[in-house]
Amino acid sequence: MRNTARWAATLGLTATAVCGPLTGSALAGQDAAPASLYAPSALVLTLAHGDTATMTTPVRAVTLSCSPTASGTHPDAMSACVELRGVGGDFDALRARDGVLCTKQYDPVIVTVDGVWQGKRVSYERTFSNECVKGSYGTSLFAF
Amino acid sequence: MRNTARWAATLGLTATAVCGPLTGSALAGQDAAPASLYAPSALVLTLAHGDTATMTTPVRAVTLSCSPTASGTHPDAMSACVELRGVGGDFDALRARDGVLCTKQYDPVIVTVDGVWQGKRVSYERTFSNECVKGSYGTSLFAF
């Protein structure tokens, strides 16, 4: 009898130890997502033809997330994240590569970036005089 | 000889038919990405504590893409896309579920949505009086 009681007590304590934390977290709130170790980074990049974003319809839009791992519908999320980290999230710091020759044809394309980069809100817009000029900036971030 | 000539002509035409479009698309520009069959949809959703988005720092940010398939860092992209399609991309049309009881405590949370939904630019912001109230709207879209 004493052994049975001891076993029952042990089982009870084990059940509390195992299930307690689960119940606790389930009751902690409707927000089940744990606080992230990383400042959030989640971006949407769009491409449109025209002068200003508000006057144009985006022809392409991709998502890019860089933490904890590179992901998104961006065709080369890994390189895009490396490039973005390289300029500290400052899109204006992306410079044109040397040796790229483009015509002066004016057929403007607009790239917009919205969302969050390392916890800071981003709302960026940049107009390039044509696709070739856009392609000359950076290597992969704007190549979507 | 006439047969050989006919074969040569046929092969030539086939080669043109097969390779022509490939060469054409390769030469079409530096943008190698093909035009999508779908209007682009790519969103970033953020969550912050406070009254207005501009005055707050997002504590969470997730990406959500719904075409051609549901993807993103949203914890339940599939359900979120179903929900968003159900209201035709109109975030204001998401209503509070019946039977959810919340306190009147004022501890505001802000949800923002930026990006593109089926080819249209989205810039949305909504303040809920507390987390519980936020959780009562829709089922999965704002649950990140």
Side-chain angles (χ1 to χ4, degrees):
Chain A
M1 254 323 249
R2 274 178 61 194
N3 259 353
T4 313
R6 202 175 289 162
W7 267 106
T10 312
L11 279 174
L13 284 171
T14 311
T16 311
V18 171
C19 303
L22 292 176
T23 318
S25 70
L27 290 175
Q30 296 195 320
D31 257 322
S36 174
L37 292 172
Y38 308 88
S41 288
L43 300 167
V44 168
L45 293 88
T46 75
L47 177 83
H49 295 278
D51 280 303
T52 55
T54 48
M55 302 291 286
T56 56
T57 301
V59 289
R60 282 205 289 281
V62 295
T63 57
L64 180 66
S65 188
C66 293
S67 64
T69 54
S71 66
T73 56
H74 189 291
D76 190 357
M78 182 73 81
S79 304
C81 286
V82 168
E83 193 163 13
L84 196 47
R85 274 199 206 95
V87 293
D90 179 5
F91 294 89
D92 272 322
L94 278 183
R95 297 282 167 214
R97 297 195 308 282
D98 289 336
V100 179
L101 299 175
C102 293
T103 65
K104 303 238 175 232
Q105 183 193 6
Y106 190 68
D107 183 12
V109 289
I110 298 176
V111 171
T112 67
V113 187
D114 288 280
V116 179
W117 173 254
Q118 295 189 345
K120 283 186 192 163
R121 293 188 193 278
V122 173
S123 183
Y124 181 79
E125 180 178 336
R126 185 160 176 175
T127 309
F128 300 96
S129 57
N130 59 50
E131 282 267 359
C132 174
V133 174
K134 175 186 84 77
S136 73
Y137 276 75
T139 51
S140 52
L141 188 59
F142 291 157
F144 62 90
Chain B
M1 253 325 245
R2 273 177 61 195
N3 259 352
T4 314
R6 202 175 289 160
W7 267 106
T10 311
L11 278 173
L13 283 171
T14 311
T16 311
V18 171
C19 303
L22 291 176
T23 318
S25 71
L27 289 176
Q30 295 196 323
D31 258 324
S36 173
L37 293 172
Y38 308 89
S41 289
L43 300 167
V44 167
L45 293 89
T46 75
L47 176 83
H49 295 279
D51 280 304
T52 55
T54 48
M55 301 291 285
T56 56
T57 301
V59 289
R60 282 206 288 282
V62 294
T63 57
L64 179 65
S65 188
C66 292
S67 63
T69 55
S71 65
T73 55
H74 189 292
D76 189 356
M78 180 72 82
S79 303
C81 287
V82 168
E83 194 162 13
L84 197 46
R85 273 199 206 97
V87 293
D90 178 6
F91 294 90
D92 272 323
L94 278 183
R95 298 282 166 213
R97 296 196 308 283
D98 289 335
V100 180
L101 299 174
C102 292
T103 65
K104 304 239 175 232
Q105 183 192 6
Y106 190 67
D107 183 13
V109 289
I110 298 175
V111 171
T112 67
V113 186
D114 287 281
V116 180
W117 173 255
Q118 295 189 344
K120 281 187 194 163
R121 293 187 194 278
V122 172
S123 184
Y124 180 80
E125 180 178 334
R126 185 161 176 175
T127 309
F128 300 96
S129 56
N130 60 50
E131 282 268 358
C132 173
V133 174
K134 174 186 84 76
S136 72
Y137 275 73
T139 52
S140 51
L141 188 61
F142 292 157
F144 60 91

